[in-house]
Amino acid sequence: MAQTKGLVFRQLFELESSTYTYLLADRETKEAVLIDPVLETIDRDLKLLHELGLNLKVAVNTHCHADHITSTGLMKKRLPELKSAISKFSGASADIFLTEGDKITFGNQYLTVRETPGHTDGCITLVSGDHSMAFTGDALLIRGCGRTDFQQGCAKKLYESIHQKIFTLPDKCLVYPAHDYLGQTVSTVGEERKFNPRLTKSLEDFVHIMNNLNLPKPKKIDISVPANLVCGVHEV
Amino acid sequence: MAQTKGLVFRQLFELESSTYTYLLADRETKEAVLIDPVLETIDRDLKLLHELGLNLKVAVNTHCHADHITSTGLMKKRLPELKSAISKFSGASADIFLTEGDKITFGNQYLTVRETPGHTDGCITLVSGDHSMAFTGDALLIRGCGRTDFQQGCAKKLYESIHQKIFTLPDKCLVYPAHDYLGQTVSTVGEERKFNPRLTKSLEDFVHIMNNLNLPKPKKIDISVPANLVCGVHEV
């Protein structure tokens, strides 16, 4: 559970793509950030923001998703003050291009950007100011990790990202991934360091595992990637 | 987010029935309680308990479910020390029969039972010792509530249960329901008092709404209810 003082926090789920969207807001100033919003759930998310009296400042994507279309672009049309944000290495368009160490500030709260490439070149992990929560996108999943067989995927790079940029966080830091397919909502850095069946292996074994997953291509990749390169509004 | 000191807390989801299972444990003594475990996810749940080094004392069902089979019975076979618990008004068998005001203690933590009939006669809400979390089962859902058209369902009783036993908790008390079908993971008492489209109505309007939902019968009711009356082990 999140312990950050003065933080409003909601984990939201999109059932078809098993994607988690995260809403964070400053309880005092009501400024909010949305991480990885999904097109299909835009009405649910905007309704919740409205009911909680929050003012959405930034919608950030942890990477250019291949499995669903982001609602960032459409949300910007509905909320003209809203800024979109994504890694500068994503190749996607946005209002704010993020790099290592950048801060996304909302009221008295902030998230820090850690570059965690390997699933894609532009993958980032967002860490709360007090290091109690990490939003790991598709880099580190609960007892798993993102695939590395398309979109600039590189197993070696992913292994190094997770070990250098996520596993260096405190053991009790909560891990909130972009997806879970088994109904798990949260993990911790300590647990993943200890129990992740892939990341507890050597680099060589990890690369071998990742290069032999033989997964089918994501169903929506040919639609999602081009759309997400332009904030999700391509032909929507 | 849960603020209870020394509490290990996990929200777990079963995708087919959209059921939430909740794991609560005392960080110090490692004693744990599981609320509404689902048969299909027993291996996931037992693995997590094992990895976290927890000792499961009680598996409690908030009511006799009609939409899925509880894993309580099978879990008792795997963990012989485990006790099952359910309301004495559920008509179901269990090791512990709960009534209003009973405490389920695990280490330095406890949950208090509030009887919240209306969806079924034996529905209970479990409230954490510090009143920061309420596990409402099928009584109060996020912006909704359990149906009242089978299994002793009574709209008037449900309305009174929610108003007298849940809406009297602090506004900021987190509401963790047994289900959500829209990817919402948590709400608060304050939000539901303000925004629940059914519970903000008068008793008369609520009864009218509930008596005219015309929902289809739950798919698994003829299997689930008899199985859950005997702790879920009937013909499993």
Side-chain angles (χ1 to χ4, degrees):
Chain A
M1 62 224 98
Q3 299 289 350
T4 308
K5 219 182 144 193
L7 184 75
V8 176
F9 175 64
R10 288 295 161 90
Q11 182 172 29
L12 299 155
F13 190 60
E14 197 283 312
L15 284 97
E16 204 201 337
S17 62
S18 291
T19 303
Y20 285 119
T21 296
Y22 300 96
L23 169 64
L24 293 94
D26 185 81
R27 197 175 295 280
E28 199 186 310
T29 68
K30 304 290 183 187
E31 290 184 345
V33 167
L34 208 52
I35 300 173
D36 289 333
V38 176
L39 190 60
E40 281 79 359
T41 49
I42 186 169
D43 291 328
R44 177 199 66 187
D45 298 345
L46 288 174
K47 191 173 176 221
L48 181 61
L49 282 160
H50 177 72
E51 287 176 345
L52 299 181
L54 302 175
N55 167 25
L56 185 61
K57 276 189 71 179
V58 181
V60 54
N61 284 289
T62 54
H63 64 294
C64 180
H65 310 284
D67 53 354
H68 70 270
I69 299 177
T70 175
S71 70
T72 311
L74 190 58
M75 213 168 250
K76 276 172 57 67
K77 288 188 182 174
R78 306 245 191 115
L79 304 172
E81 303 295 311
L82 175 65
K83 302 286 182 205
S84 58
I86 198 163
S87 162
K88 84 177 253 207
F89 301 109
S90 65
S93 59
D95 297 315
I96 301 165
F97 292 105
L98 301 166
T99 57
E100 182 74 21
D102 282 353
K103 279 188 170 55
I104 301 173
T105 303
F106 51 107
N108 304 306
Q109 310 281 341
Y110 65 89
L111 294 165
T112 307
V113 173
R114 294 192 178 197
E115 290 171 355
T116 48
H119 171 65
T120 74
D121 269 355
C123 281
I124 54 168
T125 288
L126 298 162
V127 182
S128 66
D130 60 0
H131 287 195
S132 70
M133 307 163 95
F135 301 92
T136 55
D138 279 12
L140 181 62
L141 305 176
I142 298 174
R143 311 293 192 265
C145 64
R147 58 197 289 184
T148 53
D149 58 340
F150 60 80
Q151 270 189 303
Q152 318 103 33
C154 173
K156 181 172 181 288
K157 217 183 264 185
L158 181 60
Y159 188 90
E160 287 166 354
S161 288
I162 294 172
H163 277 271
Q164 292 165 14
K165 301 290 184 68
I166 302 174
F167 282 179
T168 48
L169 287 162
D171 268 3
K172 67 179 181 183
C173 175
L174 296 166
V175 170
Y176 286 107
H179 301 283
D180 191 84
Y181 307 96
L182 300 176
Q184 304 160 122
T185 55
V186 69
S187 180
T188 65
V189 167
E191 264 175 68
E192 295 308 319
R193 284 169 60 91
K194 210 165 162 185
F195 301 119
N196 191 297
R198 294 178 185 171
L199 274 308
T200 43
K201 300 280 194 299
S202 68
L203 171 60
E204 289 68 32
D205 288 350
F206 179 79
V207 171
H208 182 76
I209 292 167
M210 296 309 290
N211 291 345
N212 290 278
L213 292 177
N214 298 316
L215 297 167
K217 206 167 88 158
K219 270 181 258 170
K220 293 188 179 180
I221 187 170
D222 296 329
I223 300 162
S224 299
V225 170
N228 289 329
L229 286 171
V230 288
C231 247
V233 288
H234 182 73
E235 289 177 15
V236 168
Chain B
M1 63 223 99
Q3 300 290 348
T4 308
K5 219 182 145 193
L7 184 75
V8 176
F9 176 63
R10 287 297 161 89
Q11 182 172 28
L12 299 155
F13 190 60
E14 197 282 313
L15 283 98
E16 203 201 337
S17 62
S18 291
T19 304
Y20 285 119
T21 295
Y22 299 96
L23 169 64
L24 293 94
D26 184 79
R27 197 176 295 281
E28 199 186 310
T29 67
K30 305 290 183 190
E31 289 185 345
V33 167
L34 208 52
I35 301 173
D36 288 334
V38 177
L39 190 59
E40 281 78 359
T41 48
I42 187 170
D43 292 327
R44 176 198 67 187
D45 299 345
L46 287 174
K47 190 172 175 223
L48 182 61
L49 282 161
H50 178 73
E51 287 176 346
L52 299 181
L54 302 175
N55 167 25
L56 186 61
K57 275 188 73 180
V58 181
V60 55
N61 285 289
T62 53
H63 64 294
C64 180
H65 310 283
D67 53 354
H68 69 270
I69 299 177
T70 176
S71 70
T72 311
L74 190 59
M75 214 169 249
K76 275 171 57 68
K77 288 189 182 174
R78 305 246 192 115
L79 304 172
E81 303 294 312
L82 176 65
K83 302 285 182 206
S84 58
I86 199 162
S87 161
K88 86 176 252 209
F89 301 109
S90 65
S93 59
D95 298 314
I96 302 165
F97 292 106
L98 301 166
T99 57
E100 181 74 22
D102 282 353
K103 278 188 171 55
I104 301 174
T105 302
F106 50 108
N108 304 305
Q109 311 280 341
Y110 65 89
L111 294 165
T112 307
V113 173
R114 294 192 179 198
E115 290 171 355
T116 48
H119 170 66
T120 73
D121 270 354
C123 280
I124 54 168
T125 289
L126 297 162
V127 181
S128 66
D130 60 1
H131 287 196
S132 70
M133 308 163 94
F135 301 91
T136 55
D138 278 12
L140 181 63
L141 305 177
I142 299 175
R143 311 293 193 267
C145 64
R147 58 196 289 184
T148 53
D149 58 338
F150 60 81
Q151 270 188 302
Q152 318 104 34
C154 172
K156 181 171 181 287
K157 217 183 265 184
L158 181 61
Y159 188 90
E160 287 165 354
S161 287
I162 294 172
H163 278 271
Q164 292 165 15
K165 301 292 184 69
I166 302 174
F167 282 180
T168 48
L169 287 162
D171 268 2
K172 66 180 180 182
C173 175
L174 297 166
V175 170
Y176 287 106
H179 301 283
D180 192 84
Y181 306 96
L182 300 175
Q184 304 159 122
T185 55
V186 69
S187 181
T188 64
V189 167
E191 265 174 69
E192 296 309 318
R193 283 170 60 91
K194 210 164 162 186
F195 302 119
N196 191 299
R198 295 178 184 171
L199 274 308
T200 43
K201 300 279 193 301
S202 68
L203 170 60
E204 289 67 32
D205 288 350
F206 179 78
V207 171
H208 182 75
I209 292 168
M210 296 308 290
N211 290 346
N212 291 277
L213 293 177
N214 298 317
L215 297 168
K217 206 167 90 160
K219 270 182 259 170
K220 294 189 178 177
I221 188 169
D222 296 329
I223 300 163
S224 299
V225 170
N228 289 329
L229 286 170
V230 288
C231 249
V233 288
H234 181 72
E235 290 177 14
V236 168

